[in-house]
Amino acid sequence: MSKTPVIACNALHKTFSEGPNQVVVLNGINFCLEQGEFAAIVGNSGSGKTTLLHLLGGLDLASSGSVRIMGQDFLALNDRERGELRNRHLGFVYQFHHLLPEFTALENVGIPLLMRKELKIAEVKKRASAMLEAVGLGHRLDHKPAELSGGERQRVAIARALVTQPACVLADEPTGNLDVHTAQEIQRLMLRLNQDLGTSFLIVTHDLSFAQHIPRIFRMEEGRLLDASAMAV
Ligand SMILES: Nc1ncnc2c1ncn2[C@@H]1O[C@H](COP(=O)(O)OP(=O)(O)O)[C@@H](O)[C@H]1O
Ligand SMILES: [Mg+2]
């Protein structure tokens, strides 16, 4: 029997109201990400990539259509249950790291675990520092975001997304604001974590040299998601 996909969406539509006008951003998206898969979405600015990632991560709701995370339909859940499902199975890396400035790297990474209210504080610290170690920041545990470089902050954000051992990480242009060298370092890290931990990744990226290393590529175009794996991206 095949495994449940980590994410599956069906006939997904999203329309925004702009004054009297309705703007159709997503126009019937069907997509499925299997466990352990690494996929990327490319597409012009404004084509709806962030909107799609937010719907797949349960941060926003579709106008119609369904999203399933590990087989569970987001629409069938209330806000609290959706939050729990997200915390249990998904990690999110934003374009701008979204770390909390008053907390250290260790505390920022520990927060998703604390939210589960299942572990003792010593265990939270242990897992958060192990994850920071894994992204090469074992020597920066007590630094606050302002005391870290752009690449280090993004690595903390990745550690925060991974600390709960999610089935899938959704990342929205995670290297878009980094210099080429740092971006490549973060990209290699994500590919390695995919191989070592089996975590699925769905990444929005503009970086075509990175996309070349990714087995499944989709292009967002006119509200649709086209499989571009076989085409030149
Ligand atoms: N909350 C919103 N209200 C109205 N329009 C929105 C909202 N969010 C996004 N949009 C519009 O949806 C389109 C797609 O945006 P977005 O998903 O951010 O694109 P991308 O990430 O591909 O650059 C844009 O035209 C944007 O203006
Ligand atoms: Mg975007």
Side-chain angles (χ1 to χ4, degrees), residues 42-43 207-209 211-212 216-219 227-233:
V42 299
D207 187 338
L208 297 184
S209 63
Q212 284 170 0
R216 268 183 102 197
I217 309 282
F218 296 88
R219 172 176 283 283
D227 191 335
S229 310
M231 308 177 211
V233 291

Side-chain angles (χ1 to χ4, degrees), residues 14 58 98 109 138-139 161 170 188:
K14 183 69 179 178
H98 280 268
V109 174
H139 58 308
L170 299 167
R188 274 197 293 269

Side-chain angles (χ1 to χ4, degrees), residues 50-131:
T50 295
T51 303
L52 176 61
L53 229 54
H54 283 185
L55 296 188
L56 296 180
L59 300 172
D60 193 5
L61 289 178
S63 304
S64 67
S66 69
V67 176
R68 287 173 184 278
I69 302 300
M70 301 300 282
Q72 277 216 49
D73 192 340
F74 262 141
L75 278 184
L77 306 174
N78 62 31
D79 282 354
R80 183 185 54 78
E81 292 166 332
R82 218 167 18 248
E84 277 175 17
L85 187 66
R86 190 166 54 230
N87 178 275
R88 190 141 306 278
H89 298 299
L90 300 179
F92 216 99
V93 182
Y94 300 86
Q95 182 169 7
F96 302 98
H97 54 80
H98 280 268
L99 298 176
L100 299 172
E102 66 273 32
F103 292 107
T104 65
L106 185 71
E107 290 162 345
N108 266 287
V109 174
I111 286 168
L113 285 178
L114 285 176
M115 277 163 55
R116 289 189 173 177
K117 301 189 180 97
E118 286 169 358
L119 299 172
K120 295 220 168 80
I121 191 84
E123 181 62 23
V124 168
K125 281 187 177 171
K126 195 171 134 198
R127 291 195 195 180
S129 52
M131 204 63 236

Side-chain angles (χ1 to χ4, degrees), residues 15-65:
T15 305
F16 289 113
S17 304
E18 269 182 22
N21 301 323
Q22 299 281 310
V23 181
V24 178
V25 177
L26 304 180
N27 191 15
I29 308 266
N30 300 303
F31 170 74
C32 182
L33 189 74
E34 304 294 340
Q35 295 182 30
E37 248 191 316
F38 201 116
I41 299 175
V42 299
N44 292 338
S45 180
S47 60
K49 305 180 300 294
T50 295
T51 303
L52 176 61
L53 229 54
H54 283 185
L55 296 188
L56 296 180
L59 300 172
D60 193 5
L61 289 178
S63 304
S64 67

